[in-house]
Structures are given as C-alpha cells and as structure tokens.
Amino acid sequence: MPRWTSAAASVRFASRARIPATRRQHSALATAAQAQQTRPPPASALALGPTPTQRPDPYTLLTPELNQLRTSLLSLLGSSHPSLSEIAQYYFLHPSKQLRPLLVLLFSRATNSLGRDWDSKASAACTEHKDELDRPLTRPDVLNDWNPSMPDHTASFSSVFDLHPPSRPKASSPPPSSSLLASLPPHTLILPTQLRLAQIVEMIHVASLLHDDVIDKSPLRRGAPSAPAAFGNKLAVLGGDFLLGRASAALSRLGENEVVELIASVIANLVEGEILQMRGAGQEATGVAVGAKSAAAEDRWAVYLKKTYLKTASLMAKGARAAVVLGGCREGEVWKEVAYAYGRNLGIAFQLVDDILDYEASEATLGKPGGADLRLGLATGPALYAYEEYPEMGPLIERKFEGEGDVELALSLVRRSSGVERTRDLARAHADKAREVLGHLPESDARIALEVLTERVVKRTW
Ligand code: FPP
Ligand code: MG
C-alpha cells in the first residue's frame, strides 16, 4: 500500500468530520433545485442565524493565504530582463481587491471534500503536483533555449544545431511522504493546486488590465500612473503578454485538462468582450438590422450584458468552477454548477456597480474623472436606462457621444433619470441570485463569507 494512503485517509477523515455525509450532493443544479427540502437551508435563511457582526469577513478569513499569494506571485514573474519583470510586477505592487483569487479560495474551502474525486485529487495535489508546481514544464534546456534567462550550461547559439541526447529518465521517485499532506493548513484545506489557480486568475486579470489601459488610454489606475503612462504602450502590451505566458505555463502544471480548457477559454472571452465593447452596442455589433426604437434598445441591452459577462464575469465564473474541479468535483455533481452560477452573477453585479461608479467618480474618489466611459463612447447601464426616459439620449448613444457637448448632456440626462438607481437594482438582483445559489452548499464559514461578498459587491464598501 502506498505510504500516502494513510495521509489521504486522514484528510478524508478530517473533511468528512467537518461536513456530514447527508450534506454531500451529487446531482446537477437543475435537479438540485427540486430536491431543496433535503438540503441545508438556503444562504438567505442563514442570514437569520449569525448577526452581520458575527459573520466572517471574506478577506479576514483568508488574509494569510492572500498575503502569501501576492508575495509568492512576484517570484513567478522573474525574467533576466529587468524592465520586463518590473512592468509585469507593477500592478501587483499596488494594493488591490484580489477579488478573483478570493473567489477561488472561498469556493475551494466551501466545496473541498464534497466531490467524489476529492481523495485522489487531494493526494495528488499534495504529493506529485505539490513538488511539480514550481518546476519547469519540460527539460530546462528546452524550455529556456534562447531565453535570456537560459542557464550557461544549456544550448547556446553556437551549438543550437547540435543534437542533444535526451537525459536519462530518473529512477522512479519514492512514494510521496505523508508529511506533504500534513503540511496542508488543517483549518483551510485549500490544496496547493487551488492556491496556484488563485494566482493564475489574478495574473490573467492583471494582463487584461495592462492591455485595457492601452486601449482606454488611461493615465491613471488606482490613483497612480497607469502602466502605459509609466512605461509606454509597447512595454505595457508586452508585459501583459509575458504575464499570459507565465500564467499558461503555471496552468499546465496543475495537471488538469478541464481546468486548462476553462481558463484558456476565459482569455478568449476577455478578448471577445473587449471587441464587443469596442464595436459598440446595436446594429453594428450584432449584425441585426434594427428598426424600431424598442428593438434597438433591447438589442443594446443584450449586447451590453453579453459584453459584461465576457469582459468581467467569465473569469470569476470559470475561475470558481476551476477551483471546484481541482477539488475533485465531477460532472453531474452540483458543486461545479453552483460555483459557475455564483461567479457569473457576482461578476455581472460587480461590473454593473463599476459602471455606476464611473458616473460617481472624481479625481478625488477613484483617481479618475467621472464619465470616463462616455468619453470612450460607451453607453453602460445608467445611460441605457436613461434612454428609456429621455429619447434625446438615442442620437448621443448612436454617435458614441462624439459631438460637441454630448458627454455633458448625457451626464445630465443620466443624473435627471433613474438610470443609476435602476442599474443598482439590476446589480442587486444578480447579487441576490448569486446568494440564492449558495443555498445548495453545506453550511461553512466560507459559504457565509461568499454570502457576505454578494452584499459587499453591491455596496462596494472596500
Ligand atoms: C477593465 O474594464 C478591463 C477588463 C475587465 C478586461 C479587458 C480585456 C482586454 C483588454 C482583452 C485582452 C485580454 C487579455 C487577457 C490580454 P474597464 O475599462 O471597464 O475598467 P477600468 O475602469 O478598471 O479600466
Ligand atoms: Mg479601462
């Protein structure tokens, strides 16, 4: 019997002790909804339990993990080109919400041990994967060939056409030590693969911000000079590409094809969302011939919400789902669907509130002037609602607020309308849906923290 079996058994024991067997669910989300009475009470009912002050703060619950993630992430971004490392690390050095890593960690904590493959995934993550996570993907001389950080002993320009005999396979490694499993923080039970996934999603997010700040010509991010302002457009784009390269290598190290596929599809989604936004809502974006005003408005809303999913919610939804996959949850079990539905709704709520904040922003509050989206030609939730009350918004949206005084007129129409309020209601409705779906999870501190997050996303108290 392999030596790790007993350690896996101890994790199994610890996790089963935490979550009663009756709470283990293996059906899909749709069928889970019908069997609600056999499940723990919905998350909204939980709110009646602990008072708000007793409920765990999502960030406090995971402060050590989040700090560790941020620190160790910088070491993934080393390059012998100092300026490349500097730009790749630039946004990580400023305080940020780390919302996407937080979601990955909370879903890991809320669902680990529930899936049928938990035991095998936990063993693998703590044994073969744990050591492998930081190792290069292939032979170092192949991986680093012609790379500026190539070690001296590897292939050089002069010997590049030489054949290098493959190195002899290493003797099979000894069975993984049980101390590896024991090294898991017992209070969290977050696997090393899930911690790495949290870093990967943040790297992809930051890569998208580097590109976004070039596209949006943003002079500032979080009150400091943006990367393009500090380093120039070319280096900002290349820095983003470098981050994607490092994230991809780390992703393959997780040893889970389903997760690679999910996260790779997020990168495509981010680009699709940005293109959809650039082309603008309406006829041009959808290829639909639009005549009546109501049809055009409907079409604009459809494109706006699709773009919102692709640009923002996809990373949260698929990141959370990927965390659950790494924890051994299989197709047909409800957990993956819960993670996806939660992340999708939370992400849409988050972006809707972001779009409201753009109207309320000022140099003093957000480090950027209000109405930045209008200046980029974008009609977001508040403007689309204002159009329903003030038809004069139509031509402004049509010409992307490019006419003289268009931005100022649009700002005043939005202020006179109920656009901001209705956008907040829509955000709240998505946040409520996210909270509702948590009712399918067993009770845990992570589940309550996820619930708290749905309120915080709407109130934006951080
Ligand atoms: C911020 O939006 C930007 C995004 C959420 C995604 C941007 C995506 C791309 C530029 C596609 C390229 C993607 C990769 C992975 C290289 P915002 O402009 O509304 O928010 P902001 O006010 O924070 O800039
Ligand atoms: Mg932007």
Side-chain angles (χ1 to χ4, degrees):
M1 179 188 290
R3 271 166 54 201
W4 50 262
T5 310
S6 58
S10 69
V11 167
R12 186 167 51 232
F13 173 77
S15 53
R16 292 224 165 119
R18 192 169 63 100
I19 294 151
T22 50
R23 299 262 164 89
R24 290 158 183 272
Q25 303 299 329
H26 301 300
S27 55
L29 189 56
T31 46
Q34 293 160 6
Q36 187 64 46
Q37 64 275 30
T38 61
R39 306 267 155 81
S44 50
L46 261 189
L48 298 173
T51 62
T53 46
Q54 290 169 322
R55 292 188 297 166
D57 174 87
Y59 284 94
T60 312
L61 192 64
L62 290 162
T63 301
E65 286 81 3
L66 288 170
N67 287 343
Q68 188 210 333
L69 285 187
R70 191 195 290 274
T71 320
S72 65
L73 201 151
L74 297 179
S75 66
L76 291 176
L77 304 179
S79 148
S80 69
H81 236 292
S83 53
L84 193 50
S85 295
E86 196 186 345
I87 184 160
Q89 295 176 352
Y90 185 63
Y91 284 154
F92 293 107
L93 300 174
H94 295 90
S96 74
K97 292 185 282 291
Q98 290 187 286
L99 177 59
R100 293 144 190 91
L102 183 67
L103 273 188
V104 166
L105 299 183
L106 285 175
F107 260 99
S108 303
R109 192 160 155 144
T111 60
N112 278 354
S113 87
L114 299 177
R116 265 178 287 175
D117 289 341
W118 161 250
D119 292 339
S120 59
K121 295 289 177 201
S123 296
C126 300
T127 53
E128 71 233 46
H129 289 320
K130 185 163 190 281
D131 288 344
E132 293 296 306
L133 284 177
D134 294 324
R135 286 212 192 118
L137 288 176
T138 61
R139 279 170 33 190
D141 55 341
V142 175
L143 190 70
N144 294 318
D145 196 16
W146 285 16
N147 181 302
S149 61
M150 169 176 72
D152 285 346
H153 67 270
T154 56
S156 69
F157 279 74
S158 59
S159 61
V160 75
F161 296 111
D162 291 350
L163 282 178
H164 299 281
S167 52
R168 289 169 60 189
K170 281 193 288 180
S172 59
S173 32
S177 144
S178 59
S179 66
L180 288 173
L181 266 185
S183 70
L184 257 185
H187 61 291
T188 60
L189 288 176
I190 295 172
L191 302 176
T193 42
Q194 293 168 323
L195 288 166
R196 179 51 51 84
L197 173 69
Q199 292 177 314
I200 292 168
V201 298
E202 192 67 351
M203 284 159 82
I204 292 172
H205 170 59
V206 168
S208 80
L209 294 184
L210 285 165
H211 286 201
D212 180 69
D213 284 344
V214 172
I215 294 169
D216 290 354
K217 300 189 176 77
S218 311
L220 298 168
R221 177 157 294 277
R222 298 183 206 124
S226 69
F231 302 93
N233 282 349
K234 289 179 187 173
L235 270 180
V237 171
L238 292 171
D241 294 344
F242 180 73
L243 273 176
L244 289 182
R246 285 287 156 91
S248 305
L251 189 56
S252 77
R253 261 289 160 241
L254 299 178
E256 186 70 65
N257 280 345
E258 187 178 342
V259 171
V260 173
E261 209 172 315
L262 273 171
I263 301 299
S265 78
V266 172
I267 299 177
N269 288 163
L270 286 164
V271 176
E272 286 162 347
E274 194 64 25
I275 298 276
L276 204 54
Q277 174 171 292
M278 266 184 189
R279 291 183 61 194
Q283 208 168 336
E284 192 196 355
T286 58
V288 177
V290 181
K293 179 191 153 192
S294 61
E298 215 169 90
D299 194 44
R300 282 203 182 90
W301 267 107
V303 173
Y304 171 61
L305 290 175
K306 182 175 177 186
K307 175 214 81 174
T308 300
Y309 165 73
L310 291 169
K311 206 183 96 166
T312 307
S314 164
L315 183 53
M316 298 188 194
K318 293 179 182 173
R321 188 179 177 104
V324 173
V325 172
L326 289 174
C329 297
R330 287 196 206 162
E331 210 58 47
E333 293 177 328
V334 72
W335 321 118
K336 288 202 265 184
E337 311 309 327
V338 171
Y340 182 78
Y342 177 92
R344 191 179 206 282
N345 281 296
L346 190 91
I348 292 175
F350 177 86
Q351 186 60 47
L352 288 169
V353 175
D354 229 46
D355 293 343
I356 293 172
L357 289 177
D358 189 65
Y359 282 87
E360 296 171 348
S362 69
E363 295 285 357
T365 54
L366 287 190
K368 59 179 184 180
D373 285 342
L374 291 173
R375 274 176 260 278
L376 290 169
L378 305 177
T380 58
L384 293 180
Y385 276 129
Y387 177 36
E388 291 175 16
E389 294 167 37
Y390 294 97
E392 54 269 47
M393 183 68 106
L396 307 186
I397 295 176
E398 212 61 59
R399 57 175 185 260
K400 298 185 175 163
F401 314 100
E402 279 172 355
E404 181 84 32
D406 279 3
V407 169
E408 291 69 26
L409 178 56
L411 276 173
S412 96
L413 291 174
V414 168
R415 281 181 193 133
R416 276 187 272 153
S417 76
S418 58
V420 164
E421 213 178 300
R422 290 171 74 191
T423 307
R424 202 181 298 283
D425 288 344
L426 185 62
R428 203 170 287 119
H430 280 282
D432 286 349
K433 271 192 213 163
R435 196 176 58 241
E436 219 170 89
V437 86
L438 292 175
H440 297 291
L441 295 180
E443 278 179 45
S444 68
D445 54 3
R447 173 180 137 175
I448 300 176
L450 284 162
E451 187 193 332
V452 171
L453 214 49
T454 63
E455 293 158 26
R456 202 170 284 188
V457 155
V458 178
K459 291 192 191 129
R460 239 4 130 77
T461 49
W462 78 89

